[in-house]
Amino acid sequence: MGLNIFDIIGPVMIGPSSSHTAGAVRIGRIAGVILGEPVKKAKIFLHGSFAQTYKGHGTNLALVAGLLGYDTDNPKIKQALIEADNQGMEVEFIPANLGSGFHPNTAKLVLTGASGNTTTVTGASVGGGNIVITQINQFKVDISGDYHALIVSHEDKPGAIAKVTALLAEDGVNVAEMKVSREQKGDLAMMVIETDQEVSSEILAKIHHLSLTSSAIMVKPI
Amino acid sequence: MFFKTIGELVAYAEKERVTIGQVVLEKQGIQLEKSKEDIFRQMGAHYRVMKEASWQGINHPAKSLSGLVGHDGKKVMNRVTNGQSILGRFVGKVVARSLAVGEVNAAMGKIVAAPTAGSCGVLPACLLSVEEEFNVSEEKIVEGLLTAAGIGLIIAKNASISGAEGGCQAECGSAAAMAAAAMVEILGGTPSQAAHATAISLKNILGLVCDPVAGLVEVPCVKRNAMAAINALTAAEMALAGVESVIPVDEVISAMKEVGEALPASLKETAQGGLANTPTARKLEKELLK
């Protein structure tokens, strides 16, 4: 889309840092949506600069605020850990070295939901509040949070992608970007489709119930 | 597509006999597919967040999470209200407010990144104080924010507004350049004068490194906001008086990019060099990491 004036005078945010605070809120928020239910337990690994400066930048507060569903300009971010405690969310922060291939501002969130489901989401805050979700469970992905993103778990078989995109076309949804990742040939796979429009709940349900898919999640722009 | 250079932006504004702010409103409306009223309303909302942050920082000061900064804006404001300021009432208030907004940011308060969180005190301090001192309408100030945003957009494209890429000159320097241009137009200067104010303020801050103690947006960031605001006032004053920059603004922006690239990584937000590498900074860093 290119920069516009509200990237220059904006965003409205809770300080102190667009990358270490605002971006962290967005990573937490998307991770929570991907889990798809209230977070019961969060084990958060902090890499690079996040590991070094998370206390001073409130990165820990920001990530948890995201898990609680807060926006980047919510003044309650500062009290996020207290609120998490009130809601019975168990949180642990672990400074870690995830490896050389990771951006210096990376967080890996291992989330367990109220029903016992566990999802691991890794994301990087790449500057100015912009983020990239790089991994969901075993799959490499590329989600910016700037567009609507449809995340579909499916079998790596011919026709899976065509069936999903046909349903999107039926809904009048335009694909902006798309990435497919698989464990190995013929095994489990994940497609992430960033779209210009929101996918309707009816179409989302249809995608979810296709024979080759096992789940479909819609992440709104954050 | 927005203008590639400030030269083109100024030429267009002067040909159409409008302000840079009005050109930005027209062109961004097209890019964002929004009405002029919507853009004006959103920018107005941002201005009110700036006002609230300044008020908060002066009247309810807080310490940052690390405890390194806080309450300094109020200290300066007290001297101003007691009539003791060596800068005089107007400039004293600009200094107090730029510190206050930077402190609100450091204490996890609500601010507008302008252009970044680390440099968020400059525009609010200058524009709030101009609105108050010169009895300017809020509408005129919001138009000034559009001027600032247009200038910032071109700096971001042709150089950088990120400390990690270009050092503090890219953050506090860009903020000062944006504020200077805005003040010139708000106070009746021409687009060309606004461009000279941009050039002068950038020239005066060229080469400033980004060396935050313990990697936090606190020391020296908050006080550099005050310095950048004074730089903006000085540049605006000169430009309004008809003083011109010998080096044209777009060449200054290119120079800033070149200087930013030449700066070593240790002086670009990595907390490895400069003030971040002083014995005191290292000691503080150790204590904070405990």
Side-chain angles (χ1 to χ4, degrees):
Chain A
M1 205 189 306
L3 280 182
N4 69 67
I5 49 171
F6 294 110
D7 298 312
I8 304 293
I9 309 275
V12 174
M13 56 170 273
I14 298 300
S17 160
S18 54
S19 55
H20 288 68
T21 318
V25 173
R26 297 179 75 211
I27 292 172
R29 182 98 181 251
I30 293 184
V33 173
I34 292 170
L35 178 70
E37 58 178 329
V39 181
K40 193 79 197 148
K41 204 172 135 188
K43 210 170 169 176
I44 302 175
F45 296 88
L46 299 158
H47 171 81
S49 172
F50 269 13
Q52 292 295 313
T53 66
Y54 76 95
K55 282 181 192 161
H57 281 130
T59 308
N60 49 347
L61 298 166
L63 286 163
V64 171
L67 293 177
L68 291 167
Y70 293 0
D71 284 321
T72 51
D73 66 347
N74 189 333
K76 290 193 302 186
I77 290 173
K78 211 173 165 177
Q79 285 93 39
L81 285 174
I82 298 166
E83 182 57 27
D85 198 43
N86 288 343
Q87 293 191 15
M89 188 195 292
E90 199 184 308
V91 188
E92 188 185 357
F93 294 95
I94 306 157
N97 185 355
L98 297 176
S100 61
F102 288 88
H103 186 280
N105 298 332
T106 296
K108 178 175 159 185
L109 299 91
V110 183
L111 306 176
T112 308
S115 74
N117 277 340
T118 295
T119 297
T120 301
V121 177
T122 304
S125 182
V126 296
N130 296 307
I131 62 151
V132 186
I133 299 295
T134 55
Q135 197 153 351
I136 300 172
N137 298 325
Q138 67 271 45
F139 301 108
K140 291 212 182 317
V141 296
D142 185 356
I143 303 169
S144 66
D146 294 335
Y147 297 92
H148 297 277
L150 173 67
I151 304 167
V152 184
S153 299
H154 61 100
E155 289 175 50
D156 181 32
K157 286 193 177 145
I161 295 168
K163 283 192 176 132
V164 171
T165 51
L167 283 168
L168 291 181
E170 188 182 306
D171 210 17
V173 171
N174 186 48
V175 172
E177 298 205 19
M178 172 160 186
K179 185 178 168 87
V180 183
S181 164
R182 64 183 179 188
E183 276 191 304
Q184 52 187 345
K185 204 171 168 184
D187 213 331
L188 282 177
M190 181 175 276
M191 66 179 103
V192 175
I193 305 177
E194 292 193 306
T195 61
D196 291 328
Q197 299 84 15
E198 187 172 355
V199 178
S200 68
S201 49
E202 300 88 77
I203 294 292
L204 192 64
K206 278 189 189 175
I207 294 172
H208 184 95
H209 291 113
L210 287 170
S211 61
L212 292 173
T213 65
S214 54
S215 80
I217 304 162
M218 191 72 210
V219 179
K220 289 184 184 170
I222 288 169
Chain B
M1 187 60 206
F2 199 65
F3 299 88
K4 284 198 175 65
T5 63
I6 292 180
E8 285 173 27
L9 170 60
V10 167
Y12 181 86
E14 299 206 324
K15 186 176 72 108
E16 299 291 318
R17 297 178 180 279
V18 292
T19 63
I20 291 174
Q22 286 158 353
V23 174
V24 171
L25 184 60
E26 178 200 326
K27 297 290 179 189
Q28 283 287 292
I30 298 165
Q31 186 189 328
L32 291 166
E33 297 173 9
K34 280 184 180 169
S35 69
K36 286 184 183 176
E37 292 73 26
D38 279 349
I39 289 182
F40 218 87
R41 204 176 304 124
Q42 193 176 343
M43 201 50 97
H46 284 196
Y47 184 52
R48 282 182 288 280
V49 174
M50 290 179 173
K51 278 187 171 171
E52 174 63 27
S54 171
W55 187 86
Q56 194 74 28
I58 296 289
N59 295 292
H60 298 284
K63 282 275 181 192
S64 63
L65 292 177
S66 73
L68 291 178
V69 298
H71 297 264
D72 291 345
K74 188 183 172 65
K75 278 184 200 159
V76 174
M77 191 58 99
N78 284 343
R79 269 179 68 80
V80 176
T81 43
N82 292 339
Q84 300 164 305
S85 171
I86 55 171
L87 296 166
R89 204 173 53 136
F90 171 60
V91 183
K93 278 185 183 177
V94 171
V95 170
R97 284 172 172 151
S98 52
L99 293 173
V101 175
E103 289 171 342
V104 165
N105 178 59
M108 297 194 82
K110 190 169 174 175
I111 55 96
V112 185
T116 60
S119 58
C120 69
V122 181
L123 272 156
C126 290
L127 299 192
L128 258 72
S129 304
V130 164
E131 183 186 1
E132 195 177 85
E133 189 70 20
F134 295 91
N135 241 332
V136 181
S137 69
E138 187 175 290
E139 199 183 330
K140 192 77 196 156
I141 298 286
V142 175
E143 194 185 306
L145 275 176
L146 291 164
T147 309
I151 296 291
L153 203 50
I154 294 172
I155 296 174
K157 283 181 181 164
N158 295 346
S160 172
I161 55 165
S162 143
E165 262 182 320
C168 191
Q169 58 166 5
E171 296 208 19
C172 283
S174 300
M178 290 157 60
M183 286 189 287
V184 166
E185 285 210 323
I186 290 167
L187 296 173
T190 64
S192 167
Q193 286 175 331
H196 283 295
T198 303
I200 293 168
S201 49
L202 280 180
K203 281 172 10 182
N204 290 348
I205 206 170
L206 213 62
L208 189 65
V209 302
C210 178
D211 49 357
V213 171
L216 305 178
V217 193
E218 301 189 13
V219 179
C221 321
V222 172
K223 295 187 186 83
R224 280 189 185 154
N225 271 265
M227 173 280 302
I230 297 285
N231 178 22
L233 294 176
T234 310
E237 180 84 313
M238 283 192 251
L240 283 166
V243 176
E244 298 192 340
S245 172
V246 174
I247 310 295
V249 63
D250 291 302
E251 291 182 34
V252 174
I253 293 170
S254 299
M256 177 173 134
K257 181 182 168 70
E258 186 193 313
V259 170
E261 284 168 358
L263 283 177
S266 62
L267 299 175
K268 288 190 276 197
E269 214 179 324
T270 53
Q272 289 169 352
L275 295 172
N277 196 30
T278 55
T280 300
R282 289 302 183 202
K283 192 169 138 248
L284 287 168
E285 191 174 23
K286 233 177 176 173
E287 284 165 14
L288 291 171
L289 283 176
K290 263 183 205 159

